[in-house]
């Protein structure tokens, strides 16, 4: 199935969208939820997400505030795959304004993926990938950057260096781990071993071994469904 056939588009989820329940909060009309694999990309906790500050689950003191993106040049990883109605989302592989609003900081592109168990790339899907501060400002303006990041003491979205000490938002990381685990051992192992911190060396498995309390720290009650795996 192509990423965009007019009536439906194929979404590739790699963080919270690994959970079908979580995916349906964003895409209630999704169909054919399944696993696939994205080759030649890396899954990285490499940028802070404004929504974590807005929901008061980011920790500036410890730098536990990063979210996930995909970037080219990696070993690949298991992802969730599903179709959604193409209602004001993509036209000729160009995301609509409404879709950009939903995923404001990302570069949204179409990439090849493998259906689960397949060795040949025969399909394409929509993926949220790493962008730049310059692209964010070009798209949204400096006032929005200041409102969504600067107001919280964050001066850059995508400019964090490998040795910056940026860490995953703990509540979000737990949510993603539970989501991956719910999709079976292959997806779970991929998330632990094929997801990296900002240094591009430390895996999520290694990070959790060093910080086991993350998996026992519950989200605030009002976010229990959103970040419950």
């Amino acid at each position: 199935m192509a990423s965009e056939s007019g009536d439906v588009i194929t979404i590739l989820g790699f963080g919270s969208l690994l959970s079908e329940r979580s995916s349906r909060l964003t895409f209630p009309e999704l169909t054919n939820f399944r696993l696939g694999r994205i080759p030649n990309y890396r899954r990285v906790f490499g940028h802070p997400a404004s929504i974590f500050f807005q929901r008061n689950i980011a920790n500036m003191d410890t730098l536990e505030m990063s979210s996930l993106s995909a970037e080219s040049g990696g070993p690949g990883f298991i992802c969730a795959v599903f179709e959604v109605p193409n209602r004001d989302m993509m036209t000729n592989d160009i995301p609509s304004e409404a879709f950009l609003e939903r995923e404001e900081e990302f570069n949204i592109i179409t990439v090849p993926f493998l259906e689960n168990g397949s060795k040949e790339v025969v399909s394409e899907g929509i993926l949220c990938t790493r962008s730049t501060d310059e692209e964010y400002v070009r798209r949204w303006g400096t006032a929005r950057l200041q409102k969504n990041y600067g107001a919280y003491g964050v001066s850059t979205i995508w400019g964090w260096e490998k040795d910056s000490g940026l860490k995953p938002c703990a509540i979000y990381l737990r949510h993603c781990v539970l989501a991956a685990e719910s999709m079976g051992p292959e997806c779970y192992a991929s998330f632990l071993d094929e997801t990296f911190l900002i240094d591009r060396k430390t895996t999520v498995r290694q990070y959790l071994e060093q910080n086991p309390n993350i998996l026992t720290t519950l989200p605030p009650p009002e976010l229990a469904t959103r970040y419950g795996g």
Side-chain angles (χ1 to χ4, degrees):
M1 179 178 294
S3 64
E4 177 191 338
S5 63
D7 295 332
V8 298
I9 59 173
T10 300
I11 301 291
L12 306 177
F14 52 83
S16 61
L17 296 185
L18 289 172
S19 161
E20 183 171 359
R21 181 178 67 170
S22 183
S23 295
R24 288 191 181 279
L25 292 175
T26 303
F27 302 104
E29 296 180 277
L30 73 82
T31 58
N32 197 19
F33 194 91
R34 61 201 188 277
L35 292 178
R37 185 172 182 85
I38 302 172
N40 306 317
Y41 273 80
R42 181 186 292 110
R43 181 167 41 198
V44 179
F45 279 98
H47 75 285
S50 176
I51 194 66
F52 297 160
F53 296 99
Q54 296 170 35
R55 291 173 175 168
N56 200 31
I57 59 172
N59 189 329
M60 275 290 290
D61 293 335
T62 61
L63 296 184
E64 291 174 281
M65 57 187 188
S66 67
S67 185
L68 282 170
S69 67
E71 60 185 32
S72 62
F77 55 86
I78 299 294
C79 66
V81 184
F82 55 88
E83 278 69 52
V84 298
N86 188 13
R87 294 176 184 154
D88 189 29
M89 291 185 67
M90 299 286 291
T91 302
N92 297 324
D93 287 335
I94 299 174
S96 68
E97 192 76 8
F99 197 8
L100 289 173
E101 282 280 356
R102 182 179 297 165
E103 308 289 356
E104 66 167 10
E105 74 266 33
F106 297 104
N107 181 25
I108 301 171
I109 63 173
T110 301
V111 302
F113 74 94
L114 288 77
E115 295 284 359
N116 196 34
S118 173
K119 297 186 183 301
E120 284 188 37
V121 173
V122 294
S123 306
E124 292 185 326
I126 305 302
L127 184 66
C128 290
T129 65
R130 182 177 179 84
S131 186
T132 64
D133 289 357
E134 291 74 18
E135 176 60 22
Y136 185 96
V137 170
R138 186 195 68 77
R139 185 183 296 163
W140 305 115
T142 55
R144 183 159 175 167
L145 181 65
Q146 172 59 28
K147 175 185 176 183
N148 287 356
Y149 291 91
Y152 300 101
V154 178
S155 60
T156 179
I157 305 171
W158 296 105
W160 295 81
E161 299 292 340
K162 292 182 179 180
D163 61 355
S164 64
L166 185 68
K167 302 179 184 71
C169 171
I171 296 298
Y172 175 71
L173 172 55
R174 175 183 178 273
H175 170 55
C176 292
V177 170
L178 294 176
E181 187 175 24
S182 74
M183 291 301 293
E186 184 181 19
C187 184
Y188 185 47
S190 174
F191 192 83
L192 294 179
D193 298 324
E194 296 179 327
T195 308
F196 298 88
L197 270 62
I198 187 74
D199 62 6
R200 274 73 170 179
K201 295 179 181 178
T202 305
T203 65
V204 162
R205 185 187 296 275
Q206 293 167 333
Y207 182 68
L208 290 175
E209 287 173 351
Q210 299 163 7
N211 301 274
N213 60 301
I214 288 174
L215 294 181
T216 59
T217 303
L218 300 179
E222 66 273 16
L223 297 175
T225 299
R226 173 64 67 177
Y227 291 105

